[in-house]
Amino acid sequence: MKIYIDGRYYSKEDAKISVYDHGLLYGDGVFEGIRIYHGTVFRLREHCERLYRSANAILIRIPITIEEMERAVIDTVALNNKKNAYIRLIVTRGVGNLGVNPLTCEKPSIIIIVDDIQLYPEEYYAKGINIITASTRRIASDSLDPRIKSLNYLNNVLAKIEAIQSGCLEAVMLNQNGYISECTGDNISIVTDGTIMTPASHYGALNGITKGAVIALAEKLGIPCRETALTQYDLYTADECFLTGTGAEIMPVVSIDGRLIGNGMPGEITKRLIASFSEEIAAQSG
Ligand code: PMP
């Protein structure tokens, strides 16, 4: 395994960053999770654009161009010789002193890890999963814009613990005003009366790349789709529910807080989207 750090490659054992890196000290940094399908990096440009926008929003100036970043990712993938895998791309504020002040940090660090992906069992896609509503709220979007994919995941971590303690894989989080935002590592969508609905980002949701792909697919398939405000009522009374994320792809949800969604089986529109998404992956990776 070869891990890229600031233009050089290291083995897993030797890939280390300073304990003075503000990414470690303060969660001061941004990241992306990206898939490789059949040797092709999926939607690399979109991920890099989101990374640079996240960095820009927190005043990190990534020291290489977006084209150089894409090249670094592709080179690291090639060096690791993996056909179906996961890429973790991280940019930290870099090494500074122990104070919060980011201006003490000389230069952001870039890390690229290519590793095997832990896929969910097929059964989950066929039967759907159960989720809960977490009591941990999403960080208010006027405190930390949810479009910034930052290294601050503590509230997601707490919500994930709630999910696990309830025997679930995922938990949906509400925002400060009680609207549905997203899950700990996935966006959430519902289908009601044939329309797909998903929380708009200002309700506390990351602008998910998989969600974007689903919205585009829905348009192609002629399924109405809206980014809107959703409450727990909307979730509980939905005909279908599904999660989207780089790791999960499109995952049907069949119960929330012990309440069955629709008939408790993955919905027809969800299944159509899953099939179309697989076709898109096959087409993109040639
Ligand atoms: N929300 C959160 C909090 C996430 O961490 C992720 C995964 N990156 C997503 C949503 C899904 O986004 P994407 O489809 O871009 O992976």
Side-chain angles (χ1 to χ4, degrees):
M1 191 176 186
K2 291 284 171 218
I3 295 172
Y4 173 106
I5 305 177
D6 297 330
R8 298 174 69 171
Y9 292 99
Y10 300 86
S11 67
K12 186 173 176 178
E13 294 68 35
D14 294 330
K16 298 196 169 95
I17 61 154
S18 166
V19 292
Y20 284 86
D21 192 309
H22 281 209
L24 173 72
L25 290 173
Y26 296 111
D28 189 354
V30 293
F31 78 103
E32 284 296 318
I34 315 172
R35 288 284 281 267
I36 311 164
Y37 292 109
H38 313 298
T40 303
V41 182
F42 190 67
R43 297 191 170 223
L44 177 57
R45 179 40 74 118
E46 266 183 75
H47 280 284
C48 285
E49 282 173 354
R50 187 170 68 183
L51 182 80
Y52 277 71
R53 275 199 298 271
S54 294
N56 191 11
I58 63 167
L59 293 147
I60 286 182
R61 278 202 54 186
I62 301 178
I64 61 175
T65 65
I66 196 163
E67 288 77 20
E68 287 165 339
M69 183 67 86
E70 284 180 318
R71 176 49 50 202
V73 170
I74 289 166
D75 288 349
T76 309
V77 169
L79 203 63
N80 283 279
N81 199 25
K82 287 206 192 291
K83 296 282 170 253
N84 291 290
Y86 180 82
I87 304 163
R88 176 56 59 91
L89 175 53
I90 307 158
V91 178
T92 70
R93 181 76 62 182
V95 175
N97 64 27
L98 291 180
V100 174
N101 183 359
L103 301 181
T104 68
C105 304
E106 259 176 38
K107 188 167 161 273
S109 266
I110 302 167
I111 301 164
I112 307 169
I113 308 168
V114 177
D115 205 344
D116 293 329
I117 177 150
Q118 236 29 64
L119 292 175
Y120 289 125
E122 257 320 298
E123 187 197 341
Y124 291 177
Y125 294 91
K127 294 193 178 151
I129 62 164
N130 307 315
I131 66 169
I132 55 152
T133 307
S135 65
T136 307
R137 298 280 172 122
R138 190 81 175 97
I139 291 172
S141 58
D142 54 357
S143 294
L144 184 61
D145 195 297
R147 290 171 293 186
I148 303 170
K149 197 165 164 56
S150 83
L151 295 178
N152 278 264
Y153 259 52
L154 202 46
N155 74 314
N156 302 52
V157 169
L158 294 175
K160 183 78 172 185
I161 290 170
E162 290 186 57
I164 293 163
Q165 287 182 337
S166 306
C168 294
L169 285 183
E170 258 294 15
V172 62
M173 285 181 284
L174 310 178
N175 70 13
Q176 225 44 34
N177 300 316
Y179 288 103
I180 305 295
S181 60
E182 62 179 347
C183 292
T184 69
D186 300 295
N187 289 112
I188 190 163
S189 300
I190 58 169
V191 181
T192 297
D193 291 337
T195 298
I196 301 169
M197 285 176 281
T198 186
S201 71
H202 54 268
Y203 292 101
L206 179 75
N207 261 340
I209 287 172
T210 319
K211 172 174 115 164
V214 163
I215 291 171
L217 282 178
E219 208 160 88
K220 250 205 291 195
L221 295 170
I223 305 166
C225 184
R226 286 197 278 127
E227 287 191 280
T228 183
L230 295 177
T231 63
Q232 275 184 304
Y233 168 92
D234 298 309
L235 253 53
Y236 292 153
T237 60
D239 300 322
E240 303 182 25
C241 180
F242 61 87
L243 309 183
T244 55
T246 291
E249 300 175 329
I250 302 171
M251 175 66 80
V253 172
V254 291
S255 89
I256 304 174
D257 299 329
R259 297 169 179 240
L260 285 191
I261 304 302
N263 61 4
M265 301 278 287
E268 287 312 311
I269 289 180
T270 305
K271 287 196 276 191
R272 275 176 74 192
L273 290 170
I274 291 173
S276 303
F277 190 68
S278 306
E279 282 169 23
E280 170 162 348
I281 288 165
Q284 286 215 0
S285 45

